Short mmCIF file of all heavy atoms in Angstrom, two decimals:
data_model
loop_
_atom_site.label_atom_id
_atom_site.label_comp_id
_atom_site.label_asym_id
_atom_site.label_seq_id
_atom_site.Cartn_x
_atom_site.Cartn_y
_atom_site.Cartn_z
N LEU V 220 -19.98 51.91 -6.65
CA LEU V 220 -20.03 51.07 -5.37
C LEU V 220 -19.39 49.75 -5.48
O LEU V 220 -19.18 49.09 -4.51
CB LEU V 220 -21.56 50.85 -5.11
CG LEU V 220 -22.39 52.07 -4.92
CD1 LEU V 220 -23.92 51.78 -4.65
CD2 LEU V 220 -21.92 52.92 -3.71
N LEU V 221 -19.13 49.22 -6.75
CA LEU V 221 -18.57 47.98 -6.95
C LEU V 221 -17.33 48.17 -7.84
O LEU V 221 -17.41 48.71 -8.94
CB LEU V 221 -19.58 47.04 -7.60
CG LEU V 221 -19.09 45.65 -8.01
CD1 LEU V 221 -18.75 44.83 -6.84
CD2 LEU V 221 -20.17 44.89 -8.83
N THR V 222 -16.25 47.66 -7.41
CA THR V 222 -14.86 47.77 -8.20
C THR V 222 -14.54 46.33 -8.78
O THR V 222 -14.97 45.33 -8.23
CB THR V 222 -13.80 48.34 -7.42
OG1 THR V 222 -13.53 47.38 -6.25
CG2 THR V 222 -14.09 49.69 -6.87
N ALA V 223 -13.69 46.45 -9.78
CA ALA V 223 -13.07 45.16 -10.45
C ALA V 223 -14.06 44.12 -10.83
O ALA V 223 -13.77 42.93 -10.91
CB ALA V 223 -12.14 44.54 -9.33
N LEU V 224 -15.28 44.57 -11.47
CA LEU V 224 -16.19 43.77 -11.95
C LEU V 224 -15.76 43.21 -13.36
O LEU V 224 -15.48 44.10 -14.23
CB LEU V 224 -17.53 44.54 -12.19
CG LEU V 224 -18.71 43.81 -12.81
CD1 LEU V 224 -19.20 42.66 -12.02
CD2 LEU V 224 -19.85 44.64 -13.20
N PRO V 225 -15.53 42.01 -13.65
CA PRO V 225 -15.25 41.44 -14.87
C PRO V 225 -16.38 41.65 -15.90
O PRO V 225 -17.45 41.98 -15.50
CB PRO V 225 -14.84 39.98 -14.68
CG PRO V 225 -15.19 39.71 -13.28
CD PRO V 225 -15.78 40.86 -12.67
N ALA V 226 -16.11 41.26 -17.10
CA ALA V 226 -17.20 41.26 -18.15
C ALA V 226 -18.39 40.38 -17.59
O ALA V 226 -17.99 39.27 -17.07
CB ALA V 226 -16.66 40.73 -19.45
N LEU V 227 -19.57 40.71 -17.79
CA LEU V 227 -20.73 40.07 -17.25
C LEU V 227 -20.76 38.51 -17.54
O LEU V 227 -21.17 37.72 -16.71
CB LEU V 227 -22.02 40.67 -17.58
CG LEU V 227 -22.72 41.79 -16.66
CD1 LEU V 227 -24.05 42.08 -17.03
CD2 LEU V 227 -22.42 41.58 -15.20
N GLU V 228 -20.28 38.21 -18.87
CA GLU V 228 -20.35 36.80 -19.18
C GLU V 228 -19.51 35.83 -18.37
O GLU V 228 -19.66 34.73 -18.21
CB GLU V 228 -19.85 36.55 -20.66
CG GLU V 228 -20.25 37.51 -21.77
CD GLU V 228 -19.42 38.77 -21.73
OE1 GLU V 228 -18.29 38.97 -22.20
OE2 GLU V 228 -20.09 39.79 -21.17
N LYS V 229 -18.55 36.54 -17.64
CA LYS V 229 -17.60 35.84 -16.82
C LYS V 229 -18.05 35.73 -15.34
O LYS V 229 -17.47 35.10 -14.49
CB LYS V 229 -16.24 36.50 -16.77
CG LYS V 229 -15.70 36.48 -18.19
CD LYS V 229 -14.12 36.62 -18.11
CE LYS V 229 -13.50 36.44 -19.44
NZ LYS V 229 -12.90 37.70 -19.96
N VAL V 230 -19.16 36.36 -15.01
CA VAL V 230 -19.61 36.50 -13.61
C VAL V 230 -20.61 35.42 -13.34
O VAL V 230 -21.54 35.23 -14.09
CB VAL V 230 -20.27 37.96 -13.37
CG1 VAL V 230 -20.81 37.98 -12.00
CG2 VAL V 230 -19.31 39.03 -13.69
N PRO V 231 -20.38 34.61 -12.23
CA PRO V 231 -21.41 33.56 -11.93
C PRO V 231 -22.80 34.16 -11.75
O PRO V 231 -22.94 35.34 -11.34
CB PRO V 231 -20.87 33.05 -10.54
CG PRO V 231 -19.44 33.53 -10.49
CD PRO V 231 -19.42 34.81 -11.22
N LYS V 232 -23.77 33.28 -11.96
CA LYS V 232 -25.19 33.68 -11.87
C LYS V 232 -26.02 32.49 -11.42
O LYS V 232 -25.85 31.38 -12.00
CB LYS V 232 -25.56 34.14 -13.28
CG LYS V 232 -27.07 34.68 -13.35
CD LYS V 232 -27.32 35.14 -14.75
CE LYS V 232 -28.68 35.93 -14.74
NZ LYS V 232 -28.88 36.66 -15.99
N VAL V 233 -26.90 32.68 -10.54
CA VAL V 233 -27.89 31.61 -10.18
C VAL V 233 -29.17 32.03 -10.90
O VAL V 233 -29.44 33.22 -10.95
CB VAL V 233 -28.19 31.46 -8.72
CG1 VAL V 233 -27.02 30.77 -7.99
CG2 VAL V 233 -28.53 32.74 -7.94
N PRO V 234 -29.84 31.06 -11.43
CA PRO V 234 -31.12 31.40 -12.12
C PRO V 234 -32.27 31.72 -11.11
O PRO V 234 -32.06 31.42 -9.93
CB PRO V 234 -31.44 30.11 -12.87
CG PRO V 234 -30.84 29.00 -12.09
CD PRO V 234 -29.56 29.63 -11.45
N GLN V 235 -33.25 32.34 -11.61
CA GLN V 235 -34.46 32.40 -10.75
C GLN V 235 -35.05 31.02 -10.64
O GLN V 235 -35.41 30.36 -11.63
CB GLN V 235 -35.52 33.43 -11.39
CG GLN V 235 -35.08 34.80 -11.43
CD GLN V 235 -35.57 35.55 -12.68
OE1 GLN V 235 -35.47 34.87 -13.83
NE2 GLN V 235 -36.03 36.70 -12.52
N TRP V 236 -35.39 30.61 -9.42
CA TRP V 236 -35.76 29.15 -9.22
C TRP V 236 -37.10 28.85 -9.88
O TRP V 236 -37.33 27.80 -10.30
CB TRP V 236 -35.94 28.93 -7.61
CG TRP V 236 -37.06 29.74 -7.08
CD1 TRP V 236 -36.99 31.02 -6.68
CD2 TRP V 236 -38.33 29.17 -6.83
NE1 TRP V 236 -38.24 31.33 -6.13
CE2 TRP V 236 -39.12 30.33 -6.19
CE3 TRP V 236 -39.04 27.95 -7.00
CZ2 TRP V 236 -40.52 30.14 -5.84
CZ3 TRP V 236 -40.30 27.85 -6.53
CH2 TRP V 236 -40.95 28.89 -6.00
N ASP V 237 -37.92 29.92 -10.03
CA ASP V 237 -39.32 29.72 -10.48
C ASP V 237 -39.50 30.05 -12.01
O ASP V 237 -40.60 30.19 -12.42
CB ASP V 237 -40.33 30.43 -9.59
CG ASP V 237 -40.12 31.83 -9.49
OD1 ASP V 237 -38.96 32.34 -10.03
OD2 ASP V 237 -40.97 32.51 -8.94
N ASN V 238 -38.31 30.26 -12.63
CA ASN V 238 -38.55 30.65 -14.08
C ASN V 238 -37.80 29.68 -15.01
O ASN V 238 -36.62 29.59 -15.05
CB ASN V 238 -37.87 32.11 -14.33
CG ASN V 238 -37.91 32.55 -15.69
OD1 ASN V 238 -38.28 31.84 -16.56
ND2 ASN V 238 -37.29 33.76 -15.95
N ALA V 239 -38.68 28.82 -15.63
CA ALA V 239 -38.09 27.68 -16.38
C ALA V 239 -37.16 28.14 -17.49
O ALA V 239 -36.37 27.40 -17.91
CB ALA V 239 -39.18 26.83 -16.92
N GLU V 240 -37.36 29.46 -17.99
CA GLU V 240 -36.50 29.90 -19.02
C GLU V 240 -35.10 30.34 -18.49
O GLU V 240 -34.18 30.53 -19.18
CB GLU V 240 -37.21 31.08 -19.71
CG GLU V 240 -37.88 30.56 -20.96
CD GLU V 240 -39.23 31.30 -21.06
OE1 GLU V 240 -39.33 32.50 -21.07
OE2 GLU V 240 -40.22 30.50 -21.25
N ALA V 241 -35.00 30.56 -17.18
CA ALA V 241 -33.79 31.05 -16.63
C ALA V 241 -32.71 29.97 -16.38
O ALA V 241 -31.53 30.43 -16.20
CB ALA V 241 -34.13 31.84 -15.31
N GLY V 242 -33.09 28.78 -16.32
CA GLY V 242 -32.04 27.77 -16.05
C GLY V 242 -32.69 26.37 -16.23
O GLY V 242 -33.83 26.25 -16.29
N THR V 243 -31.79 25.32 -16.26
CA THR V 243 -32.25 23.99 -16.21
C THR V 243 -32.93 23.63 -14.97
O THR V 243 -32.72 24.28 -13.95
CB THR V 243 -31.04 22.97 -16.50
OG1 THR V 243 -30.13 23.10 -15.28
CG2 THR V 243 -30.27 23.34 -17.70
N LEU V 244 -33.55 22.48 -14.94
CA LEU V 244 -34.21 22.04 -13.78
C LEU V 244 -33.21 21.92 -12.59
O LEU V 244 -33.40 22.31 -11.48
CB LEU V 244 -34.88 20.68 -14.07
CG LEU V 244 -35.63 19.99 -12.89
CD1 LEU V 244 -36.78 20.86 -12.37
CD2 LEU V 244 -36.22 18.69 -13.36
N ALA V 245 -32.00 21.28 -12.92
CA ALA V 245 -31.03 20.99 -11.92
C ALA V 245 -30.45 22.40 -11.36
O ALA V 245 -30.36 22.54 -10.21
CB ALA V 245 -29.92 20.26 -12.48
N GLU V 246 -30.25 23.34 -12.24
CA GLU V 246 -29.78 24.67 -11.79
C GLU V 246 -30.80 25.35 -10.94
O GLU V 246 -30.32 25.94 -9.84
CB GLU V 246 -29.46 25.56 -13.05
CG GLU V 246 -28.21 25.17 -13.80
CD GLU V 246 -28.10 25.80 -15.22
OE1 GLU V 246 -29.15 26.33 -15.69
OE2 GLU V 246 -27.02 25.77 -15.71
N ARG V 247 -32.03 25.28 -11.29
CA ARG V 247 -32.94 26.01 -10.43
C ARG V 247 -33.19 25.24 -9.12
O ARG V 247 -33.33 25.90 -8.08
CB ARG V 247 -34.31 26.04 -11.22
CG ARG V 247 -34.18 27.06 -12.36
CD ARG V 247 -35.48 27.32 -13.16
NE ARG V 247 -35.96 26.11 -13.89
CZ ARG V 247 -37.12 25.51 -13.61
NH1 ARG V 247 -37.88 26.02 -12.67
NH2 ARG V 247 -37.45 24.42 -14.32
N ALA V 248 -33.16 23.96 -9.04
CA ALA V 248 -33.26 23.28 -7.79
C ALA V 248 -32.05 23.60 -6.95
O ALA V 248 -32.16 23.85 -5.70
CB ALA V 248 -33.36 21.78 -8.06
N ARG V 249 -30.91 23.58 -7.53
CA ARG V 249 -29.65 23.82 -6.69
C ARG V 249 -29.61 25.29 -6.29
O ARG V 249 -29.16 25.62 -5.19
CB ARG V 249 -28.41 23.59 -7.61
CG ARG V 249 -28.15 22.08 -7.92
CD ARG V 249 -27.74 21.42 -6.55
NE ARG V 249 -26.60 21.97 -5.93
CZ ARG V 249 -25.36 21.74 -6.27
NH1 ARG V 249 -24.98 20.81 -7.20
NH2 ARG V 249 -24.34 22.39 -5.58
N ALA V 250 -30.10 26.24 -6.99
CA ALA V 250 -30.32 27.57 -6.59
C ALA V 250 -31.24 27.77 -5.41
O ALA V 250 -30.98 28.43 -4.38
CB ALA V 250 -30.80 28.50 -7.78
N TRP V 251 -32.31 27.00 -5.45
CA TRP V 251 -33.25 27.01 -4.33
C TRP V 251 -32.62 26.42 -3.08
O TRP V 251 -32.81 26.97 -2.01
CB TRP V 251 -34.59 26.21 -4.73
CG TRP V 251 -35.62 26.34 -3.69
CD1 TRP V 251 -36.65 27.31 -3.64
CD2 TRP V 251 -35.90 25.50 -2.59
NE1 TRP V 251 -37.43 27.12 -2.57
CE2 TRP V 251 -37.02 25.96 -1.93
CE3 TRP V 251 -35.31 24.31 -2.14
CZ2 TRP V 251 -37.51 25.33 -0.87
CZ3 TRP V 251 -35.76 23.65 -1.00
CH2 TRP V 251 -36.85 24.17 -0.23
N LEU V 252 -31.96 25.25 -3.27
CA LEU V 252 -31.21 24.64 -2.05
C LEU V 252 -30.23 25.61 -1.43
O LEU V 252 -29.97 25.69 -0.34
CB LEU V 252 -30.64 23.25 -2.52
CG LEU V 252 -31.78 22.22 -2.74
CD1 LEU V 252 -31.07 20.97 -3.43
CD2 LEU V 252 -32.51 21.83 -1.49
N ASP V 253 -29.50 26.24 -2.46
CA ASP V 253 -28.40 27.13 -2.02
C ASP V 253 -28.90 28.28 -1.03
O ASP V 253 -28.34 28.33 0.09
CB ASP V 253 -27.73 27.75 -3.33
CG ASP V 253 -26.48 28.62 -2.93
OD1 ASP V 253 -25.71 28.20 -2.15
OD2 ASP V 253 -26.48 29.72 -3.46
N ILE V 254 -29.95 28.88 -1.48
CA ILE V 254 -30.35 30.09 -0.62
C ILE V 254 -31.20 29.54 0.63
O ILE V 254 -31.20 30.25 1.60
CB ILE V 254 -31.06 31.06 -1.43
CG1 ILE V 254 -31.06 32.45 -0.68
CG2 ILE V 254 -32.52 30.74 -1.82
CD1 ILE V 254 -29.75 33.15 -0.60
N ASN V 255 -31.90 28.47 0.56
CA ASN V 255 -32.68 28.02 1.62
C ASN V 255 -31.97 27.11 2.69
O ASN V 255 -32.43 27.09 3.75
CB ASN V 255 -33.96 27.20 1.11
CG ASN V 255 -35.04 28.17 0.53
OD1 ASN V 255 -35.77 28.74 1.40
ND2 ASN V 255 -34.99 28.23 -0.75
N CYS V 256 -30.86 26.55 2.22
CA CYS V 256 -30.24 25.59 3.11
C CYS V 256 -28.71 25.89 3.31
O CYS V 256 -28.22 25.50 4.46
CB CYS V 256 -30.29 24.14 2.51
SG CYS V 256 -31.86 23.81 1.67
#
Side-chain angles (χ1 to χ4, degrees):
L220 301 176
L221 176 66
T222 59
L224 178 69
L227 270 194
E228 319 75 82
K229 301 206 173 107
V230 178
K232 181 175 189 168
V233 288
Q235 294 145 314
W236 68 279
D237 56 351
N238 176 359
E240 264 136 54
T243 64
L244 181 59
E246 286 165 344
R247 289 185 293 118
R249 289 291 305 274
W251 187 90
L252 293 168
D253 182 46
I254 200 69
N255 282 282
C256 321

